[in-house]
Structures are given as structure tokens and as C-alpha cells.
């Protein structure tokens, strides 16, 4: 009974041993194999009849034989050995990784008589583990968001890029529904994609939009694939999302730039460093008459006039050294031979690595501007010529008028003397007055032409300003009932051309008299201020509007509306101001309409002690 039971146990045990997936081998202390199960055959390749009675060294790599005997000795000595990972070799010579447990086999009395080895082939698991590690490191280091989810849309895996792209951490995302990153108006996309995946259709590069945790929209390109279990059943999907926001922005920027280039009024042309045209916009076609298709691939010299070919070398030289050429005015040739004046800006085109690969040219048609400039120059020259004619005429006419006038005046003077008592003498006197006016006008005109031709000469010397003023007042007082008041008794030495300054004074006094018909007095004053002598003439006349005060010193300028009341030519103040300016002095006026004016001029005081 007992024996039967024992037999049964033994056969059961050997059935277990045989059906085990682990290799179970027993051996003597000298290494002779005494048992070898099916799994041992499967793992090591030796059938039992080849292995049994052979030495265990048939499966131990040479370098581990020593270790093997060391362990045998330890077990023999009663030491317990923990299972450990080691290497064995198969019949075919392949090395395999096994997990080994070593135990003693004892007889009924408890004596250790042999050793059993249980070996598990862990090579495959190890490979699988490594593969897993590689995959997960790929998933985590990938720039694309990789998300896996169940068919119900529950997120099961969420890599680092997904966290970066959508803002949710792995802990926040895993276990939640994928709809957290789908905008409301795109929620139907998810069931549609699941449907496709279930039909085993891969969804590839589907362009869509998702929302990040902070509500920012993310433009993505999405690829969805099924995840299958070992039996091939689809248990979920993996979504790979690529952020294309930047690409989209770049595309939009590109489109905007292209629109700008094509709508520009300036010709925009790009070319290689060898001068081969690579782009040609609408304006270039319009400006030079060549269609884009006619010039792409051609050399830029087709629009360069032969005598300007060296410009191109200069331009390319600059571009090669990274320099920009700004507003370079030149001429190009259109298809019909027409010359186009352009202002050219050329900049280097660089590739992503910063290497200069070509040049972009922006050409603005300045033909109109150049023509206008030429026209203007022509007009200015003509105007200058006319002005010269006029000055010449004025000089000639005044000179020619002066001689007969002097003779007429002389004869009239003689006539007047000889007809003292004659009633008609008043006519002669009146005629003489008019001749004086005419003479003054002619003298003025002569002075103007002298000023114009730069021939107004000054004879500079020291003179007494007070004396000059008194003399001029003495000359003019008899012609007017208005009292001219002046109290300059001391010497006031100035430095200048006394005759010319006399002319200025007469002119100012004459105006003060002429433009103050109703006033009683004109006040003249002269004083020294630092190194200048200043003279003022004050009247109580009609005055001058403020906005006219600067104009009155211009040639032929008269305050508006005066012509009918006061005769004059508008020359006197112009000549006076030129005389003072040539003296290095100043002339100016202060005035108030209907109250009167004060005219001032200043010239250098004499440097000699008086
Ligand atoms: P004319 O007196 O011959 O017109 P002027 O060159 O001497 O030429 O003077 C220029 C203009 O300045 C005059 O036409 C007049 O309008 C104004 N003007 C000059 N002096 C006076 C003054 N004392 N009072 C008012 N207006 C004056």
C-alpha cells in the first residue's frame, strides 16, 4: 500500500517535472547529469539520452565552469544558494540567459547525494523588458504627443510631449476622457475616428485643432492607430499628435509675404550668386516687359545695359561679403530697349544656416522723378537766363536814360534862370520836380542792378554819423511841413561808406515824410551801443501791418493797397537793406498800423578815438 502510494507520488512528481516550463536537471557532485526533463531539452537543445550521463559542462560556458564547481561544492557542504541569473549555452552554441535555482537532493537519511538545478530561460523576457524600456524612452523623448486611450476614449497613456503640448500632466490626464482636449465644435471627430479604427482604417495626418489646459488652441496633425491585444482584438487607439501651429504660422507668413511681393509696385527679383534669376514678381514684369516664364533661369544681364555690366560684379561682390546696397540709382533696359531709371536696393538671401545663397533686388522706377528733376533744372536755367536778361536790360536802360535826363535837367535849370519873372516859370519848376523823381528812380534802378551784379562798391572810412544826419535833415526839411527833430550835438563816429549810408538815411526820412501825411513831427535819434552805432527814424504815420514787416525789405515789395495813395517803386528799402547788409550791420522796423513806425539800422562804430 505504502509502496503503491510512493509509486503514485513518484509518477505524479515526474509528470509535474516533465510538464514544467522550467528546465529541471539533476547532477552528481562531479557534474554528471542524472536527469533531464522536456523543458531542459527545449531550452538547451540536447535530448535526454544525449544529456544524461554527460557532464553538466555541456551547457556551461567555459568561463563559468569554475563557478559551477564552486557552487556544487557549496551545496555539497550544506550551504543554501539563492537563485541567481547566469548564462548557459545551448547545443547550437547560442548563449542564453537563465534564472537558476540550485538545491541539494538528499537520501532518506538526510545525506546530500546529488544536486538539482531548475533553470528558467529569461532571455526572451529580458529582450522584451529591454524593448519595453527602449519604446518607453522613445515615447517619452518624442516631440509628438503620444496618447493611448480605450475605445471609450479614456486616456491610458500620456507622454511628456503631450504634457508640453496640452498642459495637462500625466497624472491629470490619465483616467480622464479624451474630450478634455477637444473643442466643443469638434467633439464628433472622436467617434468618427474610432469608427474608422474599428474598420482597421488608419487615420493619417488628420489636420485639426485641440485645446490646451489654458484654453490655447493647438493646431495639430493627428495619426490614429489601433492597439491590439495578443489575440488581435482592438482594445484601444494610439493617437500621435504633431503641433503644426508653428508650421501653420510659417505658412500664413509665407502666404502674406508672397501676396506683398506680388502686389508690390516695386520690382522684386531674386537671383543666385551667379546672377541667375530665381524669382520675378508682377511689378518686375511690368517694369521690364519680360514675363516671369521668360526670365527665370536666365542671367540678370538681360536687363543690364552693356556699359553698366561692371555694376553687377560690384553688387555681387558686396552681397558675397554680406553687405546690403541701399538706394543705388542706376539704369536698366526693358525688353523693348527702353531705358528704365531705377533706385535699387539689394540684400543678401541667407539659408537656414546663415550662408549667403543669393540676392534679392528691389527696384523702384524713378524715370518720372529723373525726368521731373531734369525738367526742373531746365526751368531753373531758363529762369536764371531770363533774370540775367532783365538785369542787363535794367542796367542798360537806366544808364541810357540817365544821360538825356541830365541834359534835360541842365537845360531846364538854365531856362528857369533866364525866365525869372515869367508866369510860365512854375511849369518849368514842376517839370524839374518830376525830373528829380525820375532821376531818383533811375539812380535806384542803377543801384539795384549794381547790387544784382555784385558791383556795389563801398568806400569805407570813419565819419560822424550825427553830422551826416544833420546834413540829410537839412536837405529834406525844405520839402515838407513836418518837423524833423534831431538833437545830435556831439560827435558820433561810425565806420562805413558815408555816401551810401546817406542814401539809407534819405530813404528812411523820405519814407517817414511820405507815409505820414497827417503827422506833425518825425524824430531822429542816433546813439552808440557797444561797438555799433544805431540810428532810428520815428514817424506818426500810417504804420505797417505786423505780417508785412519782413517783406518790406524785399525788392519791388510794397504794402498792399498803397499804390493809389502813395507813389513809389518798392526799391528804396531793398537797396538800403543791401547797403546795411554789406556793411555787416542790421536794418529792421517796428510799427503799428495808424500809429506810426520806427525804422532802425546799425553799423560798426569807429574804432578810432574821437
Ligand atoms: P517805396 O516807398 O518806393 O514804395 P520802399 O522800399 O522805400 O519803397 O518801401 C517799401 C514799402 O514799405 C513801401 O511801399 C511801404 O509800403 C512801406 N513803408 C516804408 N516806409 C514806411 C513808413 N515809414 N511807414 C509806412 N510804410 C512804410
Amino acid at each position: 500500500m505504502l509502496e503503491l502510494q510512493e509509486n503514485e507520488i513518484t509518477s505524479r512528481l515526474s509528470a509535474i517535472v516533465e510538464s514544467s516550463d522550467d528546465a529541471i536537471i539533476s547532477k552528481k557532485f562531479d557534474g554528471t547529469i542524472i536527469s533531464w526533463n522536456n523543458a531542459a531539452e527545449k531550452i538547451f537543445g540536447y535530448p535526454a539520452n544525449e544529456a544524461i550521463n554527460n557532464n553538466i559542462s555541456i551547457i556551461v560556458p567555459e568561463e563559468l565552469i569554475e563557478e559551477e564547481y564552486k557552487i556544487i561544492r557549496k551545496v555539497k557542504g550544506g550551504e543554501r544558494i539563492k537563485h541567481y541569473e547566469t548564462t548557459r549555452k545551448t547545443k547550437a552554441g547560442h548563449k542564453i540567459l537563465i534564472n537558476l535555482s540550485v538545491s541539494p537532493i538528499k537520501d532518506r537519511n538526510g545525506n546530500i547525494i546529488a544536486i538539482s538545478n531548475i533553470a528558467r530561460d529569461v532571455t526572451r523576457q529580458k529582450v522584451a523588458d529591454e524593448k519595453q524600456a527602449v519604446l518607453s524612452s522613445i515615447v517619452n523623448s518624442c516631440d509628438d504627443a503620444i496618447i493611448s486611450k480605450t475605445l471609450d476614449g479614456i486616456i491610458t497613456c500620456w507622454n511628456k510631449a503631450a504634457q508640453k503640448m496640452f498642459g495637462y500632466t500625466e497624472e491629470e490626464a490619465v483616467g480622464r476622457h479624451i474630450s478634455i482636449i477637444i473643442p466643443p465644435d469638434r467633439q464628433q471627430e472622436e467617434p468618427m475616428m474610432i469608427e474608422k479604427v474599428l474598420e482597421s482604417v488608419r487615420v493619417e495626418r488628420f489636420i485639426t485643432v485641440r485645446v490646451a489646459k489654458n484654453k490655447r488652441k493647438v493646431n495639430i496633425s493627428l495619426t490614429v492607430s489601433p492597439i491590439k491585444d495578443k489575440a488581435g482584438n482592438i482594445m484601444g487607439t494610439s493617437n500621435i499628435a504633431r503641433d503644426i501651429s508653428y508650421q501653420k504660422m510659417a505658412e500664413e507668413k509665407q502666404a502674406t509675404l508672397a501676396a506683398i511681393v506680388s502686389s508690390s509696385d516695386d520690382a522684386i527679383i531674386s537671383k543666385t550668386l551667379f546672377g541667375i534669376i530665381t524669382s520675378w514678381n508682377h511689378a518686375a514684369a511690368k517694369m521690364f516687359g519680360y514675363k516671369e516664364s521668360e526670365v527665370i533661369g536666365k542671367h540678370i544681364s538681360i536687363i543690364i545695359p552693356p556699359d553698366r555690366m561692371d555694376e553687377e560684379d560690384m553688387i555681387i561682390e558686396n552681397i558675397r561679403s554680406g553687405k546690403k546696397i541701399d538706394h543705388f540709382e542706376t539704369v536698366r533696359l526693358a525688353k523693348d530697349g527702353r531705358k528704365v531709371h531705377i533706385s535699387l536696393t539689394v540684400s543678401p538671401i541667407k539659408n537656414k544656416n546663415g550662408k549667403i545663397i543669393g540676392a534679392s533686388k528691389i527696384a523702384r522706377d524713378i524715370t518720372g522723378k529723373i525726368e521731373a528733376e531734369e525738367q526742373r533744372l531746365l526751368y531753373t536755367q531758363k529762369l536764371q537766363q531770363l533774370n540775367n536778361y532783365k538785369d542787363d536790360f535794367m542796367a542798360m536802360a537806366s544808364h541810357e536814360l540817365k544821360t538825356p535826363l541830365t541834359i534835360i535837367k541842365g537845360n531846364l535849370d538854365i531856362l528857369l534862370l533866364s525866365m525869372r519873372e515869367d508866369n510860365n516859370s512854375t511849369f518849368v519848376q514842376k517839370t524839374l520836380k518830376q525830373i528829380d523823381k525820375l532821376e531818383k528812380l533811375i539812380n535806384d534802378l542803377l543801384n539795384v542792378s549794381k547790387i544784382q551784379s555784385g558791383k556795389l562798391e563801398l568806400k569805407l572810412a570813419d565819419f560822424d554819423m550825427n553830422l551826416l544826419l544833420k546834413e540829410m535833415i537839412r536837405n529834406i526839411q525844405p520839402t515838407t511841413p513836418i518837423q524833423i527833430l534831431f538833437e545830435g550835438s556831439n560827435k558820433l563816429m561810425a565806420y562805413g561808406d558815408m555816401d551810401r549810408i546817406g542814401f539809407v538815411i534819405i530813404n528812411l526820412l523820405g519814407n517817414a515824410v511820405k507815409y505820414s501825411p497827417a503827422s506833425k513831427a518825425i524824430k531822429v535819434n542816433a546813439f552808440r551801443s557797444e561797438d555799433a552805432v544805431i540810428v532810428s527814424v520815428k514817424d506818426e504815420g500810417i504804420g505797417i501791418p505786423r505780417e508785412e514787416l519782413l517783406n518790406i525789405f524785399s525788392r519791388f515789395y510794397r504794402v498792399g493797397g498803397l499804390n493809389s495813395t502813395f507813389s513809389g517803386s518798392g526799391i528804396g528799402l531793398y537797396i538800403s537793406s543791401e547797403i546795411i547788409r554789406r556793411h555787416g550791420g542790421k536794418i529792421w522796423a517796428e510799427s503799428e498800423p495808424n500809429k506810426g513806425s520806427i525804422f532802425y539800422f546799425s553799423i560798426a562804430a569807429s574804432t578810432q578815438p574821437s
Side-chain angles (χ1 to χ4, degrees):
M1 179 72 190
L2 193 79
E3 201 172 304
L4 205 124
Q5 264 184 353
E6 252 180 37
N7 275 344
E8 202 176 315
I9 290 167
T10 311
S11 70
R12 273 200 195 155
L13 278 177
S14 70
I16 292 169
V17 167
E18 286 311 319
S19 66
S20 166
D21 278 340
D22 296 338
I24 304 176
I25 302 163
S26 57
K27 61 191 179 201
K28 292 186 192 163
F29 297 135
D30 65 357
T32 308
I33 299 167
I34 46 179
S35 82
W36 186 265
N37 74 344
N38 277 338
E41 180 176 342
K42 238 191 228 164
I43 294 171
F44 299 109
Y46 293 97
N49 57 357
E50 274 181 39
I52 291 177
N53 289 329
N54 219 326
N55 194 281
I56 192 73
S57 60
I58 57 167
I59 60 163
V60 182
E62 226 163 286
E63 66 274 17
L64 294 176
I65 299 242
E66 186 114 336
E67 186 194 80
E68 173 69 12
Y69 282 106
K70 215 158 119 192
I71 289 181
I72 291 176
R73 277 196 300 278
K74 279 189 181 171
V75 176
K76 196 178 162 193
E79 216 175 291
R80 277 182 64 130
I81 302 290
K82 263 194 177 173
H83 60 88
Y84 65 102
E85 242 171 46
T86 183
T87 312
R88 289 294 176 259
K89 63 178 184 191
T90 65
K91 189 180 175 189
H94 299 306
K95 287 209 171 156
I96 56 169
L97 202 67
I98 57 159
N99 191 310
L100 191 66
S101 50
V102 187
S103 4
I105 304 175
K106 295 178 181 169
D107 66 7
R108 281 175 202 260
N109 303 325
N111 300 319
I112 300 171
I113 52 165
I115 295 168
S116 97
N117 280 2
I118 302 178
R120 175 166 295 177
D121 183 355
V122 290
T123 310
R124 214 173 282 159
Q125 190 193 331
K126 192 94 177 174
V127 169
D129 283 353
E130 267 167 25
K131 204 164 146 192
Q132 181 66 30
V134 169
L135 280 178
S136 70
S137 94
I138 291 173
V139 165
N140 266 331
S141 63
C142 177
D143 279 342
D144 294 340
I146 302 180
I147 302 164
S148 68
K149 53 189 177 41
T150 64
L151 289 175
D152 306 330
I154 302 300
I155 297 166
T156 50
C157 175
W158 184 264
N159 75 340
K160 287 215 173 95
Q163 170 170 346
K164 209 166 143 197
M165 204 175 289
F166 302 113
Y168 296 98
T169 61
E170 191 180 355
E171 291 80 52
E172 283 174 317
V174 170
R176 288 177 75 181
H177 197 269
I178 190 72
S179 59
I180 55 168
I181 59 162
I182 306 179
D185 57 332
R186 289 184 182 261
Q187 291 287 349
Q188 81 297 343
E189 280 178 10
E190 186 60 21
M192 186 254 316
M193 274 186 281
I194 297 284
E195 208 165 292
K196 286 209 166 152
V197 166
L198 285 175
E199 288 165 12
S200 284
V201 181
R202 216 165 102 102
V203 179
E204 268 183 86
R205 287 188 278 280
F206 176 67
I207 306 294
T208 184
V209 179
R210 292 292 178 257
V211 267
K213 192 179 173 186
N214 63 3
K215 304 275 180 287
R216 183 178 54 88
K217 290 212 162 150
V218 190
N219 293 294
I220 58 162
S221 155
L222 192 62
T223 296
V224 184
S225 340
I227 301 175
K228 295 178 182 171
D229 63 10
K230 274 188 186 160
N233 304 314
I234 297 174
M235 42 188 274
T237 65
S238 89
N239 289 10
I240 302 182
R242 174 160 296 182
D243 188 342
I244 54 165
S245 301
Y246 180 75
Q247 185 186 332
K248 206 154 169 122
M249 248 161 61
E251 274 168 15
E252 276 166 17
K253 202 168 147 193
Q254 181 72 20
T256 315
L257 284 178
I260 292 171
V261 167
S262 95
S263 65
S264 162
D265 278 343
D266 293 339
I268 303 178
I269 302 165
S270 60
K271 57 179 187 180
T272 65
L273 286 179
F274 300 103
I276 303 298
I277 299 170
T278 48
S279 83
W280 184 263
N281 73 343
H282 284 316
K286 217 167 131 191
M287 204 175 286
F288 302 111
Y290 293 100
K291 277 191 247 142
E292 189 184 4
S293 56
E294 286 178 287
V295 288
I296 297 284
K298 295 252 169 70
H299 195 266
I300 191 74
S301 57
I302 56 167
I303 58 162
I304 305 181
D307 57 330
R308 289 185 183 257
M309 283 301 177
D310 52 335
E311 279 180 7
E312 182 59 16
D313 297 338
M314 178 276 287
I315 290 172
I316 292 290
E317 191 123 316
N318 273 281
I319 292 300
R320 272 188 205 280
S321 57
K323 281 186 211 138
K324 193 181 166 196
I325 293 166
D326 249 335
H327 307 302
F328 172 62
E329 295 199 355
T330 182
V331 178
R332 291 292 176 258
L333 277 185
K335 193 179 175 186
D336 58 8
R338 185 173 35 90
K339 281 194 173 170
V340 189
H341 291 270
I342 56 166
S343 163
L344 197 61
T345 298
V346 192
S347 328
I349 302 176
K350 294 179 182 171
N351 68 7
K352 271 186 193 162
N353 307 326
K355 191 174 166 228
I356 296 164
I357 52 165
S360 87
K361 291 184 161 201
I362 302 181
R364 175 159 296 180
D365 188 343
I366 52 165
T367 310
K369 187 183 140 200
I370 296 274
E371 279 172 4
E373 183 68 17
E374 281 169 359
Q375 199 69 27
R376 197 186 60 79
L377 213 72
L378 210 72
Y379 283 149
T380 319
Q381 279 167 355
K382 268 196 177 155
L383 221 63
Q384 188 62 45
Q385 202 175 30
L386 284 175
N387 208 30
N388 290 345
Y389 285 157
K390 184 213 64 186
D391 286 345
D392 289 352
F393 171 77
M394 227 162 70
M396 185 272 293
S398 330
H399 195 78
E400 292 305 310
L401 286 171
K402 217 177 152 166
T403 323
L405 201 69
T406 317
I407 298 169
I408 294 170
K409 199 180 165 195
N411 289 342
L412 282 178
D413 278 338
I414 297 167
L415 193 64
L416 193 64
L417 275 175
S418 64
M419 57 190 296
R420 269 182 193 247
E421 308 302 325
D422 197 317
N423 283 345
N424 290 326
S425 68
T426 47
F427 293 115
V428 179
Q429 274 167 347
K430 276 183 184 164
T431 310
L432 271 170
K433 251 194 183 162
Q434 291 308 314
I435 285 177
D436 280 344
K437 275 192 183 171
L438 209 55
E439 197 179 23
K440 182 181 176 293
L441 181 63
I442 290 168
N443 280 336
D444 281 356
L445 286 174
L446 263 175
N447 279 332
V448 169
S449 51
K450 274 187 195 157
I451 290 169
Q452 290 306 300
S453 56
K455 287 181 192 145
L456 186 87
E457 278 168 23
L458 298 183
K459 291 185 205 108
L460 300 174
D462 288 333
F463 67 91
D464 182 356
M465 183 66 89
N466 282 347
L467 206 65
L468 182 65
L469 283 167
K470 274 184 207 148
E471 190 188 328
M472 295 299 128
I473 291 167
R474 206 167 35 244
N475 284 347
I476 210 158
Q477 186 63 79
T479 65
T480 174
I482 305 171
Q483 273 287 309
I484 304 176
L485 308 172
F486 178 57
E487 292 169 359
S489 49
N490 300 331
K491 271 190 178 177
L492 181 61
M493 295 307 288
Y495 181 72
D497 183 327
M498 198 170 77
D499 288 344
R500 303 270 184 221
I501 297 297
F503 173 92
V504 175
I505 296 167
I506 284 289
N507 211 25
L508 293 184
L509 289 174
N511 280 347
V513 170
K514 182 161 61 169
Y515 297 109
S516 334
S519 70
K520 292 194 183 81
I522 290 167
K523 287 185 186 146
V524 177
N525 195 7
F527 56 95
R528 185 172 169 147
S529 166
E530 296 179 2
D531 49 4
V533 168
I534 300 178
V535 174
S536 68
V537 178
K538 181 176 184 294
D539 65 52
E540 296 163 354
I542 59 169
I544 303 160
R546 172 184 275 276
E547 63 278 9
E548 302 274 17
L549 274 178
L550 286 177
N551 299 332
I552 52 173
F553 298 100
S554 311
R555 190 156 46 135
F556 304 123
Y557 192 90
R558 308 200 69 220
V559 173
L562 283 187
N563 284 350
S564 52
T565 332
F566 304 97
S567 67
S569 58
I571 306 178
L573 283 183
Y574 167 69
I575 300 172
S576 305
S577 73
E578 281 300 309
I579 291 172
I580 298 297
R581 191 177 61 79
R582 294 281 311 278
H583 275 80
K586 264 180 26 178
I587 184 164
W588 70 101
E590 290 166 4
S591 186
E592 207 176 317
N594 302 321
K595 290 227 163 118
S597 317
I598 315 179
F599 279 79
Y600 299 88
F601 72 84
S602 69
I603 58 166
S606 163
T607 49
Q608 304 297 318
S610 44

